[in-house]
Amino acid sequence: MRQKVVLITGANGEIGHGLIRFLAENTDANIVALDVVPLDKALRPMCSTYIVGDILDQMLLGRLVVEHEIATIYHLASILSTKAEYNPETAHRINVEGTMNLLRLAVEQSQWQGTSVKFIYPSSIAAYGISSLEEKARTGAAKEEEWHYPTTMYGCNKLYCEHLGRYYDSYYRQLAADCGGTETVDFRAIRFPGLISAETMPTGGTSDYGPEMLHAAAKGETYNCFVRPDTTLPFMVMPDAVKALILLEAVPKSRLTKFVYNVTSFSLSAQAIFDIVQEAFPDANIQFAVDECRQKIVDTWPEEVDDTAACQDWDWEPDYDCDRSFNDYLIPAIRDRYQI
Ligand code: AKB
């Protein structure tokens, strides 16, 4: 009999690290990890299978379907906002065509199994695009339905894939003769704020100045923060991001009122992050050296998001506020990591 598995794409990335560890330590899930780079050696014993491969490789995806019974897909693979601006067409291929491939695979699996495959999709605050700093100040906590004018390829890709997920869930081949009688994918998305992990460094994002400041200070490296000190974004630490994915995956579909949910923990200015980091690592050498282009991107993202729907529909609540994030998780774990 084929083994029931959880498929994780982008498994070697930041969220992948946290999610694989959590699933291995707290569940008996058989994890199939897929990434274009070889999986971190530390994660390998936690997975049933790890595959080096591309989500654009249809043959590979076809093989996966033949060999496994996929119950849930965490589709984490993506090119983040800064990196995507250097090659938008490649980013589009990976972020959109890659997601389409996985959605189609999920629908086929759902039809075969006669039960919906869950498709858990991390979207992002990059799906927002607020027109000016004045509007941003007036807007306050952005709701899921507002400000859908992203200015980055990554943001456009995330917003579009949220819609694709809704389409594959509820309208896939709606005019086909057999439509209505077959199962489709069960699509659920979370719009994450900037994520900070003690275990890994982000690559290619525009909210990366937060984690980069912290890791550079701990390593004794000089760091130029590329946004203004007053720049404020919502942030969340990795254990809470993983908690959100697990909660949303587990909740009965009947409780969900949306396909896409905001989540947040705390909002912090770059100056406030600087102050916390400087206090924890007094020898830190951090300056502000604004990169106007990257600043422009962050300026379109909300300072706060409204996560009322997630709180109501699936009992979302972060475990880590700002104080706990830095004092109980990030600073001790990063000190440990770099042996300070
Ligand atoms: C990025 O900066 O691109 C990501 C994100 C906000 O989704 N961290």
PDB file of all heavy atoms in Angstrom, residues 14 78-83 122-127 152 154 158 192-195 202-208 233-234 294 297-298 301, ligand 1:
ATOM      1  N   GLU A  14      13.529  28.628   5.435  1.00  0.00           N
ATOM      2  CA  GLU A  14      13.342  29.015   6.849  1.00  0.00           C
ATOM      3  C   GLU A  14      12.142  28.329   7.479  1.00  0.00           C
ATOM      4  O   GLU A  14      12.235  27.726   8.542  1.00  0.00           O
ATOM      5  CB  GLU A  14      13.079  30.523   6.893  1.00  0.00           C
ATOM      6  CG  GLU A  14      14.304  31.358   6.775  1.00  0.00           C
ATOM      7  CD  GLU A  14      14.237  32.460   7.791  1.00  0.00           C
ATOM      8  OE1 GLU A  14      13.444  33.388   7.588  1.00  0.00           O
ATOM      9  OE2 GLU A  14      14.961  32.372   8.790  1.00  0.00           O
ATOM     10  N   SER A  78       9.381  29.272  -2.774  1.00  0.00           N
ATOM     11  CA  SER A  78       9.069  30.593  -3.352  1.00  0.00           C
ATOM     12  C   SER A  78      10.338  31.431  -3.470  1.00  0.00           C
ATOM     13  O   SER A  78      11.294  31.245  -2.719  1.00  0.00           O
ATOM     14  CB  SER A  78       8.048  31.240  -2.412  1.00  0.00           C
ATOM     15  OG  SER A  78       7.967  32.589  -2.570  1.00  0.00           O
ATOM     16  N   ILE A  79      10.340  32.365  -4.428  1.00  0.00           N
ATOM     17  CA  ILE A  79      11.424  33.354  -4.550  1.00  0.00           C
ATOM     18  C   ILE A  79      10.903  34.622  -3.875  1.00  0.00           C
ATOM     19  O   ILE A  79       9.864  35.158  -4.272  1.00  0.00           O
ATOM     20  CB  ILE A  79      11.725  33.665  -6.032  1.00  0.00           C
ATOM     21  CG1 ILE A  79      12.102  32.399  -6.798  1.00  0.00           C
ATOM     22  CG2 ILE A  79      12.780  34.758  -6.181  1.00  0.00           C
ATOM     23  CD1 ILE A  79      13.498  31.921  -6.609  1.00  0.00           C
ATOM     24  N   LEU A  80      11.617  35.119  -2.879  1.00  0.00           N
ATOM     25  CA  LEU A  80      11.109  36.240  -2.060  1.00  0.00           C
ATOM     26  C   LEU A  80      11.253  37.592  -2.776  1.00  0.00           C
ATOM     27  O   LEU A  80      11.802  37.693  -3.872  1.00  0.00           O
ATOM     28  CB  LEU A  80      11.812  36.255  -0.706  1.00  0.00           C
ATOM     29  CG  LEU A  80      11.593  35.033   0.197  1.00  0.00           C
ATOM     30  CD1 LEU A  80      12.244  35.245   1.562  1.00  0.00           C
ATOM     31  CD2 LEU A  80      10.129  34.706   0.367  1.00  0.00           C
ATOM     32  N   SER A  81      10.756  38.620  -2.099  1.00  0.00           N
ATOM     33  CA  SER A  81      10.484  39.900  -2.773  1.00  0.00           C
ATOM     34  C   SER A  81      11.711  40.616  -3.363  1.00  0.00           C
ATOM     35  O   SER A  81      11.631  41.135  -4.476  1.00  0.00           O
ATOM     36  CB  SER A  81       9.759  40.843  -1.820  1.00  0.00           C
ATOM     37  OG  SER A  81      10.499  40.997  -0.628  1.00  0.00           O
ATOM     38  N   THR A  82      12.827  40.647  -2.643  1.00  0.00           N
ATOM     39  CA  THR A  82      13.992  41.357  -3.189  1.00  0.00           C
ATOM     40  C   THR A  82      14.591  40.560  -4.338  1.00  0.00           C
ATOM     41  O   THR A  82      14.820  41.086  -5.438  1.00  0.00           O
ATOM     42  CB  THR A  82      15.047  41.615  -2.089  1.00  0.00           C
ATOM     43  OG1 THR A  82      14.526  42.604  -1.194  1.00  0.00           O
ATOM     44  CG2 THR A  82      16.368  42.101  -2.673  1.00  0.00           C
ATOM     45  N   LYS A  83      14.797  39.275  -4.123  1.00  0.00           N
ATOM     46  CA  LYS A  83      15.415  38.423  -5.152  1.00  0.00           C
ATOM     47  C   LYS A  83      14.555  38.426  -6.423  1.00  0.00           C
ATOM     48  O   LYS A  83      15.085  38.465  -7.539  1.00  0.00           O
ATOM     49  CB  LYS A  83      15.570  37.003  -4.606  1.00  0.00           C
ATOM     50  CG  LYS A  83      16.485  36.158  -5.421  1.00  0.00           C
ATOM     51  CD  LYS A  83      16.922  34.910  -4.700  1.00  0.00           C
ATOM     52  CE  LYS A  83      17.669  34.009  -5.662  1.00  0.00           C
ATOM     53  NZ  LYS A  83      17.508  32.598  -5.296  1.00  0.00           N
ATOM     54  N   PRO A 122       1.657  29.527   2.369  1.00  0.00           N
ATOM     55  CA  PRO A 122       2.073  30.751   3.043  1.00  0.00           C
ATOM     56  C   PRO A 122       2.092  31.921   2.065  1.00  0.00           C
ATOM     57  O   PRO A 122       2.918  31.966   1.164  1.00  0.00           O
ATOM     58  CB  PRO A 122       3.481  30.429   3.555  1.00  0.00           C
ATOM     59  CG  PRO A 122       3.970  29.329   2.705  1.00  0.00           C
ATOM     60  CD  PRO A 122       2.808  28.667   2.031  1.00  0.00           C
ATOM     61  N   SER A 123       1.137  32.838   2.257  1.00  0.00           N
ATOM     62  CA  SER A 123       1.191  34.078   1.501  1.00  0.00           C
ATOM     63  C   SER A 123       1.926  35.112   2.367  1.00  0.00           C
ATOM     64  O   SER A 123       2.666  34.718   3.280  1.00  0.00           O
ATOM     65  CB  SER A 123      -0.226  34.534   1.129  1.00  0.00           C
ATOM     66  OG  SER A 123      -0.170  35.641   0.271  1.00  0.00           O
ATOM     67  N   SER A 124       1.717  36.390   2.106  1.00  0.00           N
ATOM     68  CA  SER A 124       2.618  37.369   2.730  1.00  0.00           C
ATOM     69  C   SER A 124       1.989  38.759   2.776  1.00  0.00           C
ATOM     70  O   SER A 124       1.112  39.081   1.945  1.00  0.00           O
ATOM     71  CB  SER A 124       3.893  37.419   1.879  1.00  0.00           C
ATOM     72  OG  SER A 124       4.622  38.585   2.118  1.00  0.00           O
ATOM     73  N   ILE A 125       2.490  39.582   3.705  1.00  0.00           N
ATOM     74  CA  ILE A 125       2.089  40.997   3.703  1.00  0.00           C
ATOM     75  C   ILE A 125       2.496  41.676   2.394  1.00  0.00           C
ATOM     76  O   ILE A 125       2.022  42.766   2.098  1.00  0.00           O
ATOM     77  CB  ILE A 125       2.701  41.792   4.888  1.00  0.00           C
ATOM     78  CG1 ILE A 125       4.211  41.533   5.004  1.00  0.00           C
ATOM     79  CG2 ILE A 125       1.969  41.506   6.184  1.00  0.00           C
ATOM     80  CD1 ILE A 125       4.944  42.528   5.876  1.00  0.00           C
ATOM     81  N   ALA A 126       3.371  41.029   1.617  1.00  0.00           N
ATOM     82  CA  ALA A 126       3.757  41.602   0.321  1.00  0.00           C
ATOM     83  C   ALA A 126       2.574  41.632  -0.648  1.00  0.00           C
ATOM     84  O   ALA A 126       2.627  42.312  -1.675  1.00  0.00           O
ATOM     85  CB  ALA A 126       4.908  40.799  -0.280  1.00  0.00           C
ATOM     86  N   ALA A 127       1.501  40.901  -0.336  1.00  0.00           N
ATOM     87  CA  ALA A 127       0.304  40.939  -1.193  1.00  0.00           C
ATOM     88  C   ALA A 127      -0.396  42.294  -1.098  1.00  0.00           C
ATOM     89  O   ALA A 127      -1.237  42.627  -1.930  1.00  0.00           O
ATOM     90  CB  ALA A 127      -0.657  39.819  -0.802  1.00  0.00           C
ATOM     91  N   THR A 152       5.481  44.575  -6.021  1.00  0.00           N
ATOM     92  CA  THR A 152       6.594  43.670  -6.338  1.00  0.00           C
ATOM     93  C   THR A 152       6.061  42.458  -7.117  1.00  0.00           C
ATOM     94  O   THR A 152       4.892  42.092  -6.990  1.00  0.00           O
ATOM     95  CB  THR A 152       7.267  43.119  -5.052  1.00  0.00           C
ATOM     96  OG1 THR A 152       6.293  42.402  -4.298  1.00  0.00           O
ATOM     97  CG2 THR A 152       7.877  44.221  -4.224  1.00  0.00           C
ATOM     98  N   TYR A 154       6.911  39.424  -6.485  1.00  0.00           N
ATOM     99  CA  TYR A 154       6.579  38.449  -5.428  1.00  0.00           C
ATOM    100  C   TYR A 154       5.185  38.725  -4.857  1.00  0.00           C
ATOM    101  O   TYR A 154       4.382  37.797  -4.687  1.00  0.00           O
ATOM    102  CB  TYR A 154       7.663  38.567  -4.349  1.00  0.00           C
ATOM    103  CG  TYR A 154       7.405  37.829  -3.062  1.00  0.00           C
ATOM    104  CD1 TYR A 154       7.515  36.439  -2.985  1.00  0.00           C
ATOM    105  CD2 TYR A 154       7.104  38.534  -1.887  1.00  0.00           C
ATOM    106  CE1 TYR A 154       7.322  35.779  -1.778  1.00  0.00           C
ATOM    107  CE2 TYR A 154       6.906  37.874  -0.683  1.00  0.00           C
ATOM    108  CZ  TYR A 154       7.022  36.497  -0.635  1.00  0.00           C
ATOM    109  OH  TYR A 154       6.822  35.846   0.554  1.00  0.00           O
ATOM    110  N   LYS A 158       2.019  36.257  -5.032  1.00  0.00           N
ATOM    111  CA  LYS A 158       1.328  35.753  -3.833  1.00  0.00           C
ATOM    112  C   LYS A 158      -0.172  36.029  -3.931  1.00  0.00           C
ATOM    113  O   LYS A 158      -0.988  35.147  -3.652  1.00  0.00           O
ATOM    114  CB  LYS A 158       1.909  36.387  -2.560  1.00  0.00           C
ATOM    115  CG  LYS A 158       3.274  35.846  -2.165  1.00  0.00           C
ATOM    116  CD  LYS A 158       3.177  34.406  -1.711  1.00  0.00           C
ATOM    117  CE  LYS A 158       4.495  33.817  -1.243  1.00  0.00           C
ATOM    118  NZ  LYS A 158       4.443  32.354  -1.096  1.00  0.00           N
ATOM    119  N   PHE A 192       1.632  35.856   6.018  1.00  0.00           N
ATOM    120  CA  PHE A 192       2.601  36.035   7.099  1.00  0.00           C
ATOM    121  C   PHE A 192       3.186  37.439   7.101  1.00  0.00           C
ATOM    122  O   PHE A 192       3.412  38.023   6.044  1.00  0.00           O
ATOM    123  CB  PHE A 192       3.755  35.038   6.951  1.00  0.00           C
ATOM    124  CG  PHE A 192       3.447  33.675   7.502  1.00  0.00           C
ATOM    125  CD1 PHE A 192       3.493  32.555   6.680  1.00  0.00           C
ATOM    126  CD2 PHE A 192       3.107  33.499   8.838  1.00  0.00           C
ATOM    127  CE1 PHE A 192       3.206  31.294   7.179  1.00  0.00           C
ATOM    128  CE2 PHE A 192       2.820  32.241   9.352  1.00  0.00           C
ATOM    129  CZ  PHE A 192       2.868  31.146   8.519  1.00  0.00           C
ATOM    130  N   PRO A 193       3.508  37.949   8.307  1.00  0.00           N
ATOM    131  CA  PRO A 193       4.309  39.176   8.388  1.00  0.00           C
ATOM    132  C   PRO A 193       5.781  38.813   8.182  1.00  0.00           C
ATOM    133  O   PRO A 193       6.096  37.692   7.767  1.00  0.00           O
ATOM    134  CB  PRO A 193       4.033  39.638   9.827  1.00  0.00           C
ATOM    135  CG  PRO A 193       3.759  38.390  10.599  1.00  0.00           C
ATOM    136  CD  PRO A 193       3.142  37.412   9.620  1.00  0.00           C
ATOM    137  N   GLY A 194       6.707  39.732   8.484  1.00  0.00           N
ATOM    138  CA  GLY A 194       8.131  39.405   8.424  1.00  0.00           C
ATOM    139  C   GLY A 194       8.422  38.327   9.456  1.00  0.00           C
ATOM    140  O   GLY A 194       7.961  38.433  10.594  1.00  0.00           O
ATOM    141  N   LEU A 195       9.153  37.282   9.050  1.00  0.00           N
ATOM    142  CA  LEU A 195       9.428  36.183   9.981  1.00  0.00           C
ATOM    143  C   LEU A 195      10.870  36.257  10.481  1.00  0.00           C
ATOM    144  O   LEU A 195      11.780  36.630   9.726  1.00  0.00           O
ATOM    145  CB  LEU A 195       9.189  34.833   9.290  1.00  0.00           C
ATOM    146  CG  LEU A 195       7.749  34.580   8.822  1.00  0.00           C
ATOM    147  CD1 LEU A 195       7.633  33.223   8.136  1.00  0.00           C
ATOM    148  CD2 LEU A 195       6.756  34.688   9.976  1.00  0.00           C
ATOM    149  N   PRO A 202      17.130  34.407   6.683  1.00  0.00           N
ATOM    150  CA  PRO A 202      16.324  34.495   5.468  1.00  0.00           C
ATOM    151  C   PRO A 202      17.209  34.860   4.278  1.00  0.00           C
ATOM    152  O   PRO A 202      18.287  35.425   4.456  1.00  0.00           O
ATOM    153  CB  PRO A 202      15.347  35.630   5.779  1.00  0.00           C
ATOM    154  CG  PRO A 202      16.052  36.470   6.786  1.00  0.00           C
ATOM    155  CD  PRO A 202      16.961  35.564   7.554  1.00  0.00           C
ATOM    156  N   THR A 203      16.744  34.535   3.071  1.00  0.00           N
ATOM    157  CA  THR A 203      17.499  34.962   1.888  1.00  0.00           C
ATOM    158  C   THR A 203      16.549  35.553   0.853  1.00  0.00           C
ATOM    159  O   THR A 203      15.557  34.926   0.492  1.00  0.00           O
ATOM    160  CB  THR A 203      18.252  33.788   1.204  1.00  0.00           C
ATOM    161  OG1 THR A 203      17.363  32.685   1.124  1.00  0.00           O
ATOM    162  CG2 THR A 203      19.519  33.401   1.907  1.00  0.00           C
ATOM    163  N   GLY A 204      16.854  36.766   0.448  1.00  0.00           N
ATOM    164  CA  GLY A 204      16.145  37.340  -0.685  1.00  0.00           C
ATOM    165  C   GLY A 204      14.879  38.100  -0.350  1.00  0.00           C
ATOM    166  O   GLY A 204      14.142  38.499  -1.242  1.00  0.00           O
ATOM    167  N   GLY A 205      14.598  38.341   0.940  1.00  0.00           N
ATOM    168  CA  GLY A 205      13.402  39.087   1.304  1.00  0.00           C
ATOM    169  C   GLY A 205      13.692  40.565   1.531  1.00  0.00           C
ATOM    170  O   GLY A 205      14.849  40.986   1.529  1.00  0.00           O
ATOM    171  N   THR A 206      12.615  41.334   1.735  1.00  0.00           N
ATOM    172  CA  THR A 206      12.797  42.768   1.993  1.00  0.00           C
ATOM    173  C   THR A 206      12.485  43.097   3.458  1.00  0.00           C
ATOM    174  O   THR A 206      12.804  44.177   3.934  1.00  0.00           O
ATOM    175  CB  THR A 206      11.932  43.604   1.030  1.00  0.00           C
ATOM    176  OG1 THR A 206      11.980  43.005  -0.268  1.00  0.00           O
ATOM    177  CG2 THR A 206      12.467  45.026   0.894  1.00  0.00           C
ATOM    178  N   SER A 207      11.876  42.143   4.162  1.00  0.00           N
ATOM    179  CA  SER A 207      11.710  42.327   5.607  1.00  0.00           C
ATOM    180  C   SER A 207      12.915  41.742   6.354  1.00  0.00           C
ATOM    181  O   SER A 207      12.908  41.677   7.578  1.00  0.00           O
ATOM    182  CB  SER A 207      10.416  41.654   6.086  1.00  0.00           C
ATOM    183  OG  SER A 207      10.493  40.254   5.889  1.00  0.00           O
ATOM    184  N   ASP A 208      13.939  41.356   5.604  1.00  0.00           N
ATOM    185  CA  ASP A 208      15.076  40.642   6.196  1.00  0.00           C
ATOM    186  C   ASP A 208      15.941  41.501   7.116  1.00  0.00           C
ATOM    187  O   ASP A 208      16.779  40.965   7.850  1.00  0.00           O
ATOM    188  CB  ASP A 208      15.988  40.067   5.091  1.00  0.00           C
ATOM    189  CG  ASP A 208      15.321  38.952   4.302  1.00  0.00           C
ATOM    190  OD1 ASP A 208      14.157  38.620   4.620  1.00  0.00           O
ATOM    191  OD2 ASP A 208      15.951  38.442   3.360  1.00  0.00           O
ATOM    192  N   LEU A 233       7.054  47.383  10.598  1.00  0.00           N
ATOM    193  CA  LEU A 233       6.376  46.234   9.973  1.00  0.00           C
ATOM    194  C   LEU A 233       5.872  45.292  11.062  1.00  0.00           C
ATOM    195  O   LEU A 233       6.424  45.265  12.158  1.00  0.00           O
ATOM    196  CB  LEU A 233       7.363  45.426   9.107  1.00  0.00           C
ATOM    197  CG  LEU A 233       7.739  45.898   7.719  1.00  0.00           C
ATOM    198  CD1 LEU A 233       8.626  44.844   7.051  1.00  0.00           C
ATOM    199  CD2 LEU A 233       6.504  46.159   6.848  1.00  0.00           C
ATOM    200  N   PRO A 234       4.854  44.481  10.721  1.00  0.00           N
ATOM    201  CA  PRO A 234       4.508  43.397  11.646  1.00  0.00           C
ATOM    202  C   PRO A 234       5.536  42.271  11.519  1.00  0.00           C
ATOM    203  O   PRO A 234       6.013  41.989  10.423  1.00  0.00           O
ATOM    204  CB  PRO A 234       3.132  42.949  11.148  1.00  0.00           C
ATOM    205  CG  PRO A 234       3.032  43.396   9.739  1.00  0.00           C
ATOM    206  CD  PRO A 234       3.976  44.543   9.542  1.00  0.00           C
ATOM    207  N   ARG A 294      14.637  49.537  -1.976  1.00  0.00           N
ATOM    208  CA  ARG A 294      14.051  48.539  -1.050  1.00  0.00           C
ATOM    209  C   ARG A 294      13.123  49.238  -0.044  1.00  0.00           C
ATOM    210  O   ARG A 294      12.097  48.693   0.347  1.00  0.00           O
ATOM    211  CB  ARG A 294      15.163  47.771  -0.337  1.00  0.00           C
ATOM    212  CG  ARG A 294      15.940  46.876  -1.292  1.00  0.00           C
ATOM    213  CD  ARG A 294      17.032  46.113  -0.577  1.00  0.00           C
ATOM    214  NE  ARG A 294      16.605  44.785  -0.166  1.00  0.00           N
ATOM    215  CZ  ARG A 294      17.357  43.963   0.581  1.00  0.00           C
ATOM    216  NH1 ARG A 294      18.554  44.355   1.003  1.00  0.00           N
ATOM    217  NH2 ARG A 294      16.912  42.767   0.905  1.00  0.00           N
ATOM    218  N   ILE A 297       9.675  49.591  -1.394  1.00  0.00           N
ATOM    219  CA  ILE A 297       8.875  48.354  -1.306  1.00  0.00           C
ATOM    220  C   ILE A 297       8.252  48.236   0.088  1.00  0.00           C
ATOM    221  O   ILE A 297       7.038  48.055   0.238  1.00  0.00           O
ATOM    222  CB  ILE A 297       9.758  47.117  -1.625  1.00  0.00           C
ATOM    223  CG1 ILE A 297      10.158  47.116  -3.101  1.00  0.00           C
ATOM    224  CG2 ILE A 297       9.050  45.816  -1.237  1.00  0.00           C
ATOM    225  CD1 ILE A 297      11.131  46.016  -3.502  1.00  0.00           C
ATOM    226  N   VAL A 298       9.087  48.373   1.109  1.00  0.00           N
ATOM    227  CA  VAL A 298       8.585  48.199   2.483  1.00  0.00           C
ATOM    228  C   VAL A 298       7.535  49.271   2.806  1.00  0.00           C
ATOM    229  O   VAL A 298       6.581  49.004   3.549  1.00  0.00           O
ATOM    230  CB  VAL A 298       9.756  48.234   3.490  1.00  0.00           C
ATOM    231  CG1 VAL A 298       9.247  48.084   4.921  1.00  0.00           C
ATOM    232  CG2 VAL A 298      10.738  47.112   3.188  1.00  0.00           C
ATOM    233  N   TRP A 301       3.975  48.195   2.387  1.00  0.00           N
ATOM    234  CA  TRP A 301       3.460  47.114   3.228  1.00  0.00           C
ATOM    235  C   TRP A 301       2.888  47.702   4.516  1.00  0.00           C
ATOM    236  O   TRP A 301       3.427  48.683   5.049  1.00  0.00           O
ATOM    237  CB  TRP A 301       4.568  46.095   3.557  1.00  0.00           C
ATOM    238  CG  TRP A 301       5.086  45.360   2.353  1.00  0.00           C
ATOM    239  CD1 TRP A 301       4.558  45.359   1.094  1.00  0.00           C
ATOM    240  CD2 TRP A 301       6.248  44.519   2.286  1.00  0.00           C
ATOM    241  NE1 TRP A 301       5.306  44.572   0.260  1.00  0.00           N
ATOM    242  CE2 TRP A 301       6.350  44.042   0.971  1.00  0.00           C
ATOM    243  CE3 TRP A 301       7.201  44.115   3.212  1.00  0.00           C
ATOM    244  CZ2 TRP A 301       7.371  43.185   0.557  1.00  0.00           C
ATOM    245  CZ3 TRP A 301       8.227  43.260   2.809  1.00  0.00           C
ATOM    246  CH2 TRP A 301       8.303  42.803   1.490  1.00  0.00           C
TER     247      TRP A 301
HETATM  248  C1  AKB B   1       9.962  39.149   1.988  1.00  0.00           C
HETATM  249  O1  AKB B   1      10.502  40.099   2.560  1.00  0.00           O
HETATM  250  O2  AKB B   1       9.915  39.021   0.759  1.00  0.00           O
HETATM  251  C2  AKB B   1       9.292  38.108   2.839  1.00  0.00           C
HETATM  252  C3  AKB B   1       7.853  38.443   3.019  1.00  0.00           C
HETATM  253  C4  AKB B   1       7.457  39.681   3.720  1.00  0.00           C
HETATM  254  O3  AKB B   1       7.020  37.682   2.601  1.00  0.00           O
HETATM  255  N1  AKB B   1       9.909  38.015   4.109  1.00  0.00           N
END
